[in-house]
Amino acid sequence: MSTPTGLRVPAHQVSPAARPYWLLSAFISDLVLLSLLTVGYVVWPQPPWWAGTLLLILVLVLTVHVVAMPPIRFRVHRWEVTETAVHTRVGWLSTDERVAPISRVQTVDSHQTALMRLFGLATVTVTTASAAGPIVISCLDATVARQVVAWLTEITARTDGDAT
Amino acid sequence: MNEPDWRQLDPRMLILGPIAALKQLAVPAVIALIASGLQNAAWMLFALPVVVTMMFLLGAMPWFTTRYRITESNLQRRQGLLSRKVVTAPLDRIRTVDLSSPLLHRILGLTKVEIGTGVDDTRIELDPLGVDEAAELRRVLLARRAVARGESPVAEPVDPATSEGGAGDLGDGAPETSIAAATPAHVEVASIDWSWLRFAPFSLTRLVIVAGIFGLLSQFADDLPFLDADNIRRGWGWLLEQALPLVLVTAFFGSLALWLLISIGGYVTQWWRFRLFRDDGNLRLTAGLITTRSTSIEEARIRGVQMSEWALLRLVGGAQLSTLTTGLESGTTSVLPPSPVGVNRRVAATLIEAPEPMTVRLTRHGPRARRRCHIRNQWSTVFITLGVVAAWQWWEAEAWMIGATALLVGTWGAVLGEAEYRHLGHALVNGHLVSGWGALSRHRVALQTDGIIGWVITQNIFQRRLGLASLIATTAAGSERVLVRDVDRGVAVTLAAAATPDLIAEFRV
């Protein structure tokens, strides 16, 4: 991962439990996709030669996805909340960096899916008055997430105005 | 502190309401009557009075149940007979007061008032009020807002609706400086100049509507008994025998004439007596021949402007201007009819109080961005050529067609790609972030840096290889984002840091 020019990376990594969580969720969704296609291939009366090849290629791609994505994503995902701003970086093939001033934050939510609860993870979503600017800090340790929410709520309560 | 009395809507609603209800009820009622009544005519005798009574009840009910009042600090509207609902809007939160009069309202001397409050999308509607009462309400609301905020109330502006009388006509294009001189709070920004009519045929927004109408007509045409395939083919064959060139020429000039008629007619109806003026901290727009609209935008809510030179309009030097505003449902409000670029620039400069953003030369994004523009526009070449190859494989297409298609689509793609690159650019000037884009059309948006409420820097896998990024300034105004595409990543960060130094400084290295 080359260091981005001009903007430093956010200070913290997400919870290490994110790696097995991403692996498992990618495995489940890829498995569902693959089994659907395999069923389709089997019931197809006379599949042309390229159908089997495509399926094989897809198996390879999905395997790479499941194996390679979690560690790369773990290196890319970072977050930081300072006195004045929220800063995140997410993605693995494409990247997406966001900065929003805390004075413009409107809502702070946290949520956990069933699978995330299994790994003790939680996601914090910070929205501003712009639909283009919600900041999602995904896969934090559940305890850390609670602290972040408390901290953000406390700071945003200090600033007034309608944040537009 | 004694509470002011609740006021009712205009009693003429007892006429307006039932007619409006009739319009809504007409279609379902007719369908119901046809479905059930035709076999049994006596049934109709019972149904008709019921429908009519319902119409009157539905239409007139709001008049009996709606009340409104302005208290010391709030505007309140009370609705409902059994369950009562009161909407309260603090006066200092009122952003806009819009008046509009559709045809029926105008005949009855009524106006619909919509009051917009702040960030949420709820608008308080008072429909209908008498024209004078509505104008008075607007004046009071906007004046009270200033008081509620502790600003000194400005001298009462002359209301154009009352001061103009019936004077405005086709030749009334000259700015009314007398009003501006008398009351400094009321300054004209632009008004209709009928030489702008030349832009009407080049503005394609109306073409969509026309296409829709034709689509609808063709649906009906399918149902006409004499229009079956055989008849059409026979008729068509006969036409071709007569004189194909004549048919084509007639069709061409016929649709051209129709288009001229529709576009010019539409322009005149929509922009009749168009005026844009500043009025005590508000930007106000009035226009319309059949439905007169009057829109007020609080100037403090304007975060920027966007100028769009649409594909055809650009050929004749025309453009359209809209404002990016917070706290309005759509966020962008069109403030000028299709008009010369020069007028757009002048009005934009007035609105954002900076002439540079709309005229400054944009910084281009360099050879790597150009490469991406070209590659993006050549995808269609690849797909279309592959399509022709497939056609050549399976059907009897000629081999030379592949080359010809590739050449033609490829050249067109190259033209588009180059145009896209030339229109792509950014600038940071006089407190505004400026971004330009477009291929056939050219767009330029200027956003106040104070209106920026966050940044997003995205890089997809191709951009990462080239060291490019897309920079998005998020905002509460307009489409809520301003995109600077395919800019060098370092430049993107520098730009963001220069626009909002306080925000980015702590993350710079």
Side-chain angles (χ1 to χ4, degrees):
Chain A
M1 194 78 230
S2 62
T3 347
T5 44
L7 207 59
R8 74 172 163 78
V9 296
H12 315 290
Q13 284 194 301
V14 298
S15 161
R19 268 178 297 187
Y21 163 73
W22 282 325
L23 193 135
L24 186 62
S25 54
F27 181 74
I28 292 172
S29 61
D30 289 357
L31 198 67
V32 169
L33 176 70
L34 203 61
S35 31
L36 280 178
L37 288 175
T38 312
V39 168
Y41 181 74
V42 170
V43 298
W44 198 343
Q46 276 173 330
W49 58 272
W50 47 264
T53 320
L54 270 185
L55 201 62
L56 261 176
I57 293 175
L58 189 71
V59 171
L60 276 177
V61 169
L62 293 186
T63 315
V64 170
H65 175 228
V66 170
V67 174
M69 180 272 284
I72 300 178
R73 177 164 273 180
F74 185 70
R75 258 183 291 160
V76 174
H77 275 237
R78 297 185 80 98
W79 65 278
E80 183 173 356
V81 179
T82 69
E83 277 284 340
T84 53
V86 188
H87 182 193
T88 61
R89 186 177 76 181
V90 299
W92 63 294
L93 292 178
S94 304
T95 61
D96 183 317
E97 286 162 84
R98 286 168 189 252
V99 183
I102 287 192
S103 58
R104 303 300 180 96
V105 166
Q106 290 202 318
T107 64
V108 183
D109 309 327
S110 78
H111 86 278
Q112 275 186 306
T113 61
L115 199 59
M116 287 172 93
R117 192 168 297 179
L118 203 66
F119 290 93
L121 296 171
T123 290
V124 176
T125 307
V126 180
T127 62
T128 62
S130 166
I135 295 194
V136 181
I137 315 174
S138 54
C139 297
L140 293 181
D141 186 82
T143 335
V144 178
R146 264 196 299 282
Q147 285 163 0
V148 169
V149 171
W151 166 242
L152 277 173
T153 332
E154 193 204 315
I155 316 179
T156 47
R158 267 190 249 148
T159 55
D160 43 31
D162 69 356
T164 57
Chain B
M1 193 175 82
N2 55 336
E3 294 273 284
D5 289 336
W6 289 98
R7 291 159 74 181
Q8 268 184 308
L9 299 176
D10 195 280
R12 276 167 284 186
M13 173 153 203
L14 298 176
I15 308 171
L16 182 79
I19 300 179
L22 175 71
K23 273 197 280 185
Q24 284 190 347
L25 274 181
V27 174
V30 165
I31 290 174
L33 285 181
I34 289 177
S36 58
L38 282 187
Q39 293 109 29
N40 183 358
W43 192 86
M44 275 229 246
L45 286 179
F46 298 103
L48 208 61
V50 172
V51 168
V52 170
T53 319
M54 257 179 62
M55 201 179 83
F56 269 94
L57 279 181
L58 268 181
M61 188 62 87
W63 186 75
F64 292 104
T65 58
T66 308
R67 299 277 190 284
Y68 74 96
R69 70 175 178 187
I70 302 170
T71 68
E72 204 77 359
S73 53
N74 293 311
L75 169 74
Q76 292 181 314
R77 186 191 61 185
R78 194 179 73 186
Q79 269 181 317
L81 198 62
L82 298 175
S83 64
R84 185 157 280 178
K85 188 176 143 198
V86 181
V87 183
T88 304
L91 290 180
D92 59 342
R93 283 291 175 88
I94 289 174
R95 313 293 185 211
T96 60
V97 181
D98 292 351
L99 312 181
S100 65
S101 314
L103 190 56
L104 195 57
H105 283 68
R106 285 186 72 186
I107 294 171
L108 294 169
L110 297 171
T111 296
K112 174 172 152 186
V113 182
E114 280 180 297
I115 296 144
T117 54
V119 246
D120 49 3
D121 290 342
T122 52
R123 288 161 76 83
I124 300 182
E125 200 181 282
L126 296 172
D127 182 18
L129 297 182
V131 168
D132 295 343
E133 194 186 355
E136 176 65 14
L137 179 68
R138 188 225 306 260
R139 196 190 59 74
V140 168
L141 282 179
L142 296 182
R144 285 276 199 106
R145 182 186 69 198
V147 176
R149 287 182 181 182
E151 295 160 9
S152 60
V154 191
E156 278 185 15
V158 177
D159 196 286
T162 52
S163 68
E164 255 172 24
D169 59 14
L170 266 177
D172 197 359
E176 290 164 47
T177 40
S178 57
I179 292 177
T183 51
H186 182 108
V187 183
E188 177 133 321
V189 180
S191 67
I192 192 73
D193 176 342
W194 288 109
S195 70
W196 298 347
L197 258 187
R198 67 180 188 275
F199 296 114
F202 296 95
S203 168
L204 292 182
T205 36
R206 246 171 230 106
L207 195 58
V208 181
I209 304 170
V210 177
I213 293 172
F214 272 106
L216 209 69
L217 284 182
S218 69
Q219 296 246 314
F220 282 115
D222 279 349
D223 296 338
L224 293 179
F226 57 87
L227 273 184
D228 63 29
D230 269 355
N231 278 344
I232 290 178
R233 212 172 300 136
R234 223 173 295 142
W236 189 237
W238 177 81
L239 269 180
L240 290 187
E241 277 167 30
Q242 298 310 307
L244 178 65
L246 193 69
V247 172
L248 287 181
V249 167
T250 316
F252 175 74
F253 282 104
S255 40
L256 197 66
L258 190 67
W259 171 241
L260 282 179
L261 200 73
I262 291 173
S263 59
I264 291 178
Y267 193 102
V268 171
T269 332
Q270 192 179 354
W271 299 106
W272 182 257
R273 285 173 76 182
F274 159 76
R275 292 182 68 215
L276 183 69
F277 53 97
R278 295 173 126 168
D279 178 5
D280 190 14
N282 291 286
L283 184 68
R284 278 180 58 186
L285 182 155
T286 55
L289 181 63
I290 297 166
T291 298
T292 50
R293 323 173 262 138
S294 164
T295 308
S296 309
I297 306 165
E298 189 187 353
E299 283 192 75
R301 299 256 124 197
I302 297 176
R303 295 281 183 276
V305 290
Q306 178 172 337
M307 183 168 82
S308 295
E309 298 165 77
W310 298 102
L312 279 183
L313 205 52
R314 194 156 77 84
L315 291 179
V316 288
Q320 273 194 289
L321 192 72
S322 45
T323 52
L324 314 185
T325 320
T326 64
L328 285 182
E329 238 166 292
S330 64
T332 52
T333 312
S334 189
V335 291
L336 269 185
S339 51
V341 172
V343 173
N344 276 263
R345 290 205 173 117
R346 182 180 60 76
V347 171
T350 316
L351 296 187
I352 60 178
E353 284 162 359
E356 299 91 344
M358 284 295 132
T359 51
V360 72
R361 225 186 144 72
L362 300 181
T363 310
R364 289 207 180 146
H365 293 175
R368 284 166 297 160
R370 182 188 222 148
R371 213 167 95 196
R372 269 182 58 75
C373 287
H374 277 290
I375 290 174
R376 245 198 322 266
N377 279 289
Q378 291 302 339
W379 280 112
S380 54
T381 315
V382 173
F383 285 119
I384 293 174
T385 310
L386 279 179
V388 178
V389 169
W392 174 68
Q393 277 275 322
W394 279 296
W395 296 289
E396 295 159 20
E398 307 270 352
W400 61 265
M401 281 178 149
I402 301 171
T405 317
L407 193 69
L408 210 68
V409 185
T411 315
W412 179 239
V415 169
L416 283 185
E418 191 60 23
E420 203 177 308
Y421 169 68
R422 280 166 192 272
H423 294 165
L424 191 65
H426 70 267
L428 184 69
V429 58
N430 202 346
H432 287 81
L433 172 71
V434 186
S435 170
W437 74 97
L440 291 177
S441 305
R442 177 165 54 192
H443 305 272
R444 180 182 280 210
V445 64
L447 176 69
Q448 247 178 34
T449 50
D450 289 345
I452 297 172
I453 59 173
W455 295 97
V456 181
I457 301 175
T458 63
Q459 288 184 287
N460 66 28
I461 197 155
F462 305 108
Q463 286 176 318
R464 272 169 70 181
R465 235 165 41 87
L466 293 170
L468 295 177
S470 289
L471 177 72
I472 299 166
T474 65
T475 171
S479 55
E480 309 206 329
R481 48 187 279 158
V482 168
L483 170 66
V484 181
R485 193 178 196 178
D486 289 338
V487 63
D488 178 83
R489 197 180 182 288
V491 173
V493 174
T494 315
L495 184 63
T500 56
D502 296 345
L503 178 56
I504 301 293
E506 62 179 318
F507 301 115
R508 295 216 61 183
V509 283

